[in-house]
Amino acid sequence: MNHSARITARTCRDAPVLRQRGQREVFCGLTGIIWLHRKMQDAFFLVVGSRTCAHLLQSAAGVMIFAEPRFGTAILEEGDLAGMADAHDELDREVARLLDRRPDIRQLFLVGSCPSEVIKLDLARAAERLTQVYAPRVRVLNYSGSGIETTFTQGEDACLASMVPALPASDMRELLLVGALPEVVEDQAISLLGKMGVGPIRVLPAPRSAEMPGVGPNTVFACLQPFLGTTVAALQNRGARMIRAPFPFGEEGTTLWLKAIANEFSVDDATFERVTVAPRTRARTAITNASAVLRGKSIFFMPDSQLEIPLTRFLVRECGMEAIEIGQPYIHKGLVDPDLDLIPAGPVISEGQDVDLQLDRIRAVRPDLTVCGLGLANPLEAEGLTTKWAIELVFTPVHFYEQAGDLAGLFSRPLRRRDLLKPEAAGPFPETHAVAR
Amino acid sequence: MKLTVWTYEGPPHVGAMRVATGMKGLHYVLHAPQGDTYADLLFTMIERRDHRPPVTYTTFEGRDLGEDTAGIFKKTCQGAYDRFRPQALIVGASCTAELIQDDPGGLAGAMDIPVPVVALELPSYQRKEIFGTDETFYQLVRHLAQPMKKTPEVTANLIGPLALGFRHRDDIQEVKGLLCEMGISINVVAPFDATPKDLTMLGQGHINILMYPEHAEAAARHMERTLGIPYTKTVPIGVGATHDFIAEVAGICGVVPKADLSRLRQPWWAKSVDSTYLTGKRVFLFGDATHVRTAARIARDEMGFDVVGLGCYNREFARSIRTLGKEFGIEALITDDYLDVEKAIEEAAPEMILGTQMERHIGKRLGIPCAVISAPVHVQDFPARYAPQMGWEGANVIFDTWVHPLVMGLEEHLLTMFREDFEFHDAAGPSHHGTPAPKPVGVAPAPVRAIGAVMVWRADAETELKKIPFFARGKARRNTEKFAANQGLQEVSIDTLYEARAHYAR
């Protein structure tokens, strides 16, 4: 292994951060339920909130989910706002009804929302009370996915962090992989590490509550996602130790991530090379093919998924793109520093958002590709810009070697599509193809 | 507290957004926490709008709560006015902001904003989206419309169409055409594409065409009271309703009722012999009250269907839909609980569902074909082509849309005759659809307990039942059990099956 992560030129680690406060065009943390409820197959997510919460979940998820969801919203009504004691009784009643209808449920998450927090409905107390009622069949946990506390992927962080105190104690030396990934990707990671002799390997969250990992001072863990700051702190509180590395996006990220774990488990270089050489080569080939149209193109990230920094690292270093601005809802330096270290200085690093000012910057520079939320994509396309929806990055398997080409493909597809469509070929009046609605 | 899986309606501030986004030159300043901006995607993704909804959110966070959220609102409000220079502002709060009681209306009113500022009071914990549309449009009309001299020629206002509506864009065209035939021109269409300035001109119209009572009834009543403008009560969806509509408009305006039927094909399409197989198809209707009411009439009188269930999710119209149910000899289902609707459909075992996006989910789960007749709808229900529901072309479109999910007439016969064919069998689904129909889940295996008692099917009867094609099996099972229960039987044999069939023969 002769891969060097040392960078001599200036990097983004110490770049100044542009902080603006205005309208933030981001999802709240409730959105994480859309993938978490699929990942944890015996869990139910009960949002205690308003009709807006229910509407958000269905609007953000409705595009994708047609099966009976393992989530729902206990909608607060006028009466619940008046008397807090009543609200707890009401919640108990709804939980009883739910668990009666879904006897397969083993974990119930009471998920706090903006209204439940503003009226200070104590869901921690409710979770304790309900655990006593339903243990051992069902464990009841709580976390907040509210917009006043969390943005988008932070919901997953809050959820996983809420699980950590309830994990059994363990003195085993185990590797814990943290973050909810699609099975196909998780299996690849476990298989690669297994071939190096790293193990035992556990995952958080596990697909079923009975398989939840133990944690203790001999646990070492590696994050699969860059938005898990609270979970990291919770695991560290239990004595576990984090393996720091860039995130496993692209060939380079995956290699550095695996290498950091391999070093922790004293895997020799020859073994590491033997296990990784084939998939690394495949990944490079795939990236080369998929990134052809990305080379030399500029990219602008609006704040959304928190994947912006590691993805910029991948796009700049492996796909030859030029980053103009890397926006994030918030920056968790402790997690993304290894990635920032690898991005040459140049792009604006921004945290938080004033969406109108940010759109002004986009219109001024007109990037080749803008990564943004669903609310902004079509309006920007109508202005002649090319966009990529950030939410797709969270719903698509994009980690590790075998997905590296797909990851590049997610960014190249909008550009290829722009080149494919020739609306002016349809008629002799190119100036008339104004966007219809 | 009420557990909800899917909702038919969003919160009332989404209704206000639908009005604002439908209009031009209006801006909505919404006091709301971070995350409520999700609502933008309803318009930009589902409706494919090419511009952001004209909404600025305060997006306050937890750390702001102990501080000056009212200050954030004022700053946002001023910033939105300076940036977008609208002709008028509407201001209000989402559910969370309602709890912190900053009073956006009062705050904005005290600011020096040189255009009309309309404050919205939308109680998020009591009301829903449709209330939000109706109330917002009413408040705008109340603040902006003035009594004025009528236009010299007979003109109409089209009121009710807005953003995210089911086929509103095309219904406007169609209704304009109907009025044009009678020599009536258009004064204002609102909220759709109207500016606040246009709303000030509403008073010169002679008649209000209340296209969607859900969204504009309060405004219509207000204008009748204060501006002396009568409004129409008939919604022209379906052939019969369109004829009635023309007569109503002609009566109000004192013009000769005229109709150009040259493009109307629906009556012949329904009468032609290929459509015989539609006779007595058992349909279940669910949606908003207006679309269910019109669909029920079309289903019975213009398609020859048998309406076996109907209902609406907007309680504001519960009474009128209950009355409609009585007229059809069924008890109307008034609920916004998706699971109740699913249960009612499962029990009614219809051959087709005419519903919303939600019923499409239900139909998929139960293996029952579904056509969409009402909001809430999804991206595929905002077609690129012209596809109105109202007027003559609307009648044509509805015929096509409702027939499309069904197995075609001749195919139905062939399936009945050659049901054992290994390629051409009922599980393959309608042949003009690319993918096989989903296997019915829950319907066939679970005995339908129509009368409350459990009916036991003997094995040979169960086998015989399976020989009935899938699109008729639900009806046969239900009828047989009903027949058996009426006969005081606890068990279904082959004979019971055929006796029931004879009993219900049409």
Side-chain angles (χ1 to χ4, degrees), chain B residues 96-113:
Chain B
T96 307
E98 186 183 327
L99 296 172
I100 59 177
Q101 300 183 328
D102 277 336
D103 184 20
L107 292 171
M111 291 168 65
D112 197 17
I113 291 176

Side-chain angles (χ1 to χ4, degrees), chain A residues 144-371:
Chain A
S144 169
S146 83
I148 57 179
E149 297 295 339
T150 60
T151 77
F152 197 18
T153 52
Q154 238 176 333
E156 176 177 331
D157 188 24
C159 174
L160 300 192
S162 79
M163 299 170 76
V164 172
L167 294 178
S170 161
D171 285 331
M172 293 267 290
R173 172 153 169 86
E174 285 182 329
L175 172 66
L176 182 60
L177 302 183
V178 187
L181 288 195
E183 257 165 48
V184 54
V185 186
E186 203 172 88
D187 291 349
Q188 284 171 22
I190 292 170
S191 153
L192 284 167
L193 290 166
K195 283 183 198 158
M196 292 178 207
V198 173
I201 302 170
R202 310 293 298 271
V203 290
L204 179 72
R208 303 192 160 272
S209 60
E211 297 150 20
M212 282 301 165
V215 66
N218 291 324
T219 308
V220 287
F221 68 93
C223 286
L224 294 161
Q225 300 281 28
F227 43 73
L228 299 172
T230 319
T231 309
V232 166
L235 286 166
Q236 286 167 338
N237 274 343
R238 296 283 309 263
R241 188 162 48 80
M242 178 166 74
I243 301 169
R244 281 162 53 90
F247 286 91
F249 299 111
E251 182 271 316
E252 184 187 37
T254 305
T255 302
L256 293 173
W257 187 86
L258 289 170
K259 184 66 186 164
I261 295 172
N263 288 346
E264 169 68 31
F265 284 83
S266 309
V267 176
D268 62 80
D269 285 356
T271 305
F272 186 85
E273 200 61 24
R274 178 174 50 76
V275 173
T276 57
V277 65
R280 280 170 74 185
T281 312
R282 278 200 299 275
R284 283 205 201 109
T285 310
I287 294 168
T288 306
N289 293 339
S291 67
V293 298
L294 296 176
R295 305 213 165 261
K297 299 287 198 314
S298 60
I299 187 160
F300 191 117
F301 277 96
M302 300 195 83
D304 207 290
S305 65
Q306 284 296 125
L307 302 179
E308 293 86 1
I309 287 173
L311 290 179
T312 303
R313 190 255 304 143
F314 166 69
L315 292 168
V316 168
R317 292 174 61 93
E318 298 187 52
C319 301
M321 295 192 85
E322 180 210 346
I324 297 173
E325 179 166 333
I326 317 171
Q328 292 110 122
Y330 60 95
I331 299 175
H332 198 296
K333 280 261 182 187
L335 287 178
V336 293
D337 270 352
D339 283 286
L340 283 172
D341 274 340
L342 294 171
I343 307 172
V348 172
I349 311 277
S350 63
E351 181 178 27
Q353 187 179 33
D354 179 321
V355 72
D356 287 309
L357 296 180
Q358 198 169 35
L359 289 171
D360 288 346
R361 294 200 292 280
I362 287 173
R363 291 177 183 123
V365 296
R366 298 192 65 81
D368 294 311
L369 189 61
T370 303
V371 183

Side-chain angles (χ1 to χ4, degrees), chain B residues 243-423:
Chain B
H243 280 296
D244 291 352
F245 171 81
I246 288 169
E248 186 186 11
V249 171
I252 292 173
C253 297
V255 300
V256 182
K258 267 195 265 174
D260 172 8
L261 300 178
S262 60
R263 288 178 303 116
L264 175 64
R265 288 177 275 275
Q266 193 277 346
W268 171 244
W269 255 243
K271 190 172 183 300
S272 66
V273 291
D274 180 77
S275 295
T276 310
Y277 77 103
L278 300 175
T279 310
K281 282 263 181 228
R282 307 172 74 257
V283 295
F284 193 104
L285 279 62
F286 198 81
D288 70 31
T290 295
H291 285 88
V292 164
R293 165 177 298 282
T294 51
R297 180 172 174 188
I298 298 170
R300 184 186 58 190
D301 300 344
E302 297 167 25
M303 299 294 275
F305 289 160
D306 182 12
V307 177
V308 295
L310 64 79
C312 74
Y313 57 79
N314 49 333
R315 285 181 189 279
E316 291 88 345
F317 290 72
R319 189 183 296 174
S320 84
I321 292 300
R322 286 211 175 91
T323 312
L324 180 73
K326 286 207 186 84
E327 195 188 305
F328 278 77
I330 43 187
E331 193 181 338
L333 175 69
I334 313 294
T335 182
D336 60 353
D337 188 332
Y338 163 85
L339 296 173
D340 286 350
V341 180
E342 185 176 71
K343 193 159 154 270
I345 290 177
E346 200 165 347
E347 277 170 10
E351 289 161 278
M352 177 156 75
I353 308 167
L354 300 171
T356 73
Q357 173 63 23
M358 309 298 159
E359 283 66 49
R360 188 183 274 151
H361 290 213
I362 293 170
K364 202 166 168 182
R365 203 178 82 75
L366 301 179
I368 303 171
C370 178
V372 169
I373 58 163
S374 159
V377 292
H378 226 305
V379 64
Q380 66 269 47
D381 300 302
F382 289 96
R385 68 178 187 278
Y386 182 61
Q389 298 287 291
M390 293 186 177
W392 310 130
E393 186 59 20
N396 297 336
V397 166
I398 286 172
F399 180 89
D400 290 349
T401 311
W402 292 11
V403 165
H404 181 77
L406 298 170
V407 177
M408 288 179 285
L410 278 174
E411 191 179 0
E412 207 176 275
H413 287 298
L414 289 170
L415 280 171
T416 314
M417 284 175 69
F418 306 113
R419 59 180 80 101
E420 306 296 337
D421 187 294
F422 72 99
E423 285 179 309

Side-chain angles (χ1 to χ4, degrees), chain A residues 21 24-25 58 148 360 437, chain B residues 7 34 62 64 83 193:
Chain A
R21 286 191 71 185
R24 297 175 64 131
E25 185 91 11
Q58 127 176 4
I148 57 179
D360 288 346
R437 82 148 197 249
Chain B
T7 74
Q34 169 176 279
D64 301 320
R83 177 173 279 267
D193 274 356

Side-chain angles (χ1 to χ4, degrees), chain B residues 157-159 161 172 176 186-194 198-199:
Chain B
N157 300 319
L158 308 190
I159 59 171
I172 292 169
K176 278 182 178 173
I186 304 301
N187 180 47
V188 174
V189 178
F192 198 95
D193 274 356
D198 292 335
L199 297 191

